[in-house]
Amino acid sequence: MKGYSEWMSRLIQALSKLPGIGRRSAERIVFHLLKAPGDEVTELARLLQMVKEKTLFCQICHNFSDESVCHICSDPGRDKGMICVVEDPKDVVAIEKTGNYVGVYHVLLGFLSAIEGVGPEELQIADLVERVKNGNVREVILATNPSTEGETTALYLTRILKPLKVKVTRLAHGISVGSMLEYTDQATLARALEGRVSA
Amino acid sequence: MKGYSEWMSRLIQALSKLPGIGRRSAERIVFHLLKAPGDEVTELARLLQMVKEKTLFCQICHNFSDESVCHICSDPGRDKGMICVVEDPKDVVAIEKTGNYVGVYHVLLGFLSAIEGVGPEELQIADLVERVKNGNVREVILATNPSTEGETTALYLTRILKPLKVKVTRLAHGISVGSMLEYTDQATLARALEGRVSA
């Protein structure tokens, strides 16, 4: 790369591969790091290594965790009778941020996809069935994404969980809080009408 | 942080401090790294360390360099009689990208600023004067930024370089290529008028 030293070029290339970081951002970050105190950079390099080495999957819910059982599954204050099923650890964070959910999670680590060749065996579905069979689970909330794959995954899970005599629910679809009717897409509006509640 | 393990939280915080990376981008990067192959993350951590350890300042032009003399100063194909003076290593990259400049550089590593208490001693100005005195320098191109501080720095340099019988020039100001007159700011338009050339 023009004007850059060998190591700078290589770091810029590596950083550009990260999501949301383009060539220009990568250049800015490298210049920032070269001017930052040495121990700040050392700390960042160490954290990168540590996160990768120390992060495990929780044996129960398959969320990212520092321990073999994650801080949510090991929290005595959480309701183990309610399992929220999500596709990805990101989704756990999104739901935790609402501050409204007191149950536990089950992370599938993906979604069913015929195109990408992902079948039920590739996801943490057998484990979910075991949890429902063994524990005192009252309710499974299916919180997969409202995409074609997410819907397919939810339908599949409904079919295999229903026979286990557990209550299976889905997240409600509808209009976003604070949004305007005229800017709401048709599919969402249709779902909102369909799921109307008495005032 | 809600939903994150200890190490993930710490890495998210460290990444959020980098320029152009907010909380959300940092979260996305951490999830990306946790899913990436381990050696990709190790390589990134290593590059961060190496860039900081291996990057020196070129003894001649003070640009970032892997060697004691940078690849531009040590290139026999570059015209050592022409020195382009810039504030920052970033500016070297910007000028190199034009592909039009065959001379060498001098990086001041800052600009004169009364407010921030930066005087000529804090910048690599004495070194520039030495280069002009010792070498066969025909021309010094002042390519400081068109900011108040950049202009002040350029004026100061003009004053101390002129007595050395070297040609001192400035970058031309004017309308950006491809831009419209009506959207050009007044100061730029004034400079463009002032610096008009015969058609």
Side-chain angles (χ1 to χ4, degrees), chain B residues 28-49:
Chain B
R28 281 181 65 202
I29 292 170
V30 170
F31 280 117
H32 170 87
L33 292 174
L34 283 170
K35 287 174 188 169
D39 50 356
E40 200 178 307
V41 180
T42 308
E43 175 67 5
L44 182 59
R46 195 179 73 96
L47 283 174
L48 280 170
Q49 280 288 38

Side-chain angles (χ1 to χ4, degrees), chain B residues 173-185:
Chain B
H173 287 282
I175 300 157
S176 303
V177 176
S179 75
M180 310 274 282
L181 275 199
E182 67 176 304
Y183 300 128
T184 304
D185 68 283

Side-chain angles (χ1 to χ4, degrees), chain A residues 43-44 46-48 50-52 55 64 89-90 93-94 97, chain B residues 1-34:
Chain A
E43 174 68 4
L44 183 59
R46 194 179 74 95
L47 282 174
L48 280 170
M50 291 305 275
V51 159
K52 195 69 186 177
T55 305
F64 290 131
K90 272 202 266 292
V93 174
K97 278 182 182 164
Chain B
M1 275 184 263
K2 289 247 172 196
Y4 289 112
S5 69
E6 169 70 12
W7 287 106
M8 287 172 78
S9 299
R10 286 173 65 179
L11 181 57
I12 290 170
Q13 258 159 6
L15 289 172
S16 306
K17 285 186 201 150
L18 298 177
I21 300 192
R23 205 18 228 276
R24 287 303 287 259
S25 317
E27 289 176 357
R28 281 181 65 202
I29 292 170
V30 170
F31 280 117
H32 170 87
L33 292 174
L34 283 170

Side-chain angles (χ1 to χ4, degrees), chain A residues 67-122:
Chain A
E67 315 282 339
S68 56
V69 173
C70 77
H71 67 287
I72 296 175
C73 287
S74 59
D75 182 347
R78 306 292 295 228
D79 180 358
K80 308 289 189 298
M82 200 189 290
I83 298 180
C84 179
V85 179
V86 295
E87 295 173 9
D88 197 277
K90 272 202 266 292
D91 304 325
V92 172
V93 174
I95 296 177
E96 283 296 286
K97 278 182 182 164
T98 68
N100 265 343
Y101 182 67
V102 294
V104 291
Y105 294 92
H106 192 86
V107 183
L108 297 173
L109 298 175
F111 44 74
L112 293 178
S113 167
I115 294 167
E116 292 176 33
V118 182
E121 317 74 43
E122 270 79 46

Side-chain angles (χ1 to χ4, degrees), chain B residues 159-171:
Chain B
R159 223 172 49 210
I160 61 165
L161 291 173
K162 276 277 174 71
L164 303 176
K165 312 253 179 284
V166 64
K167 186 174 165 192
V168 180
T169 57
R170 300 286 302 275
L171 287 188

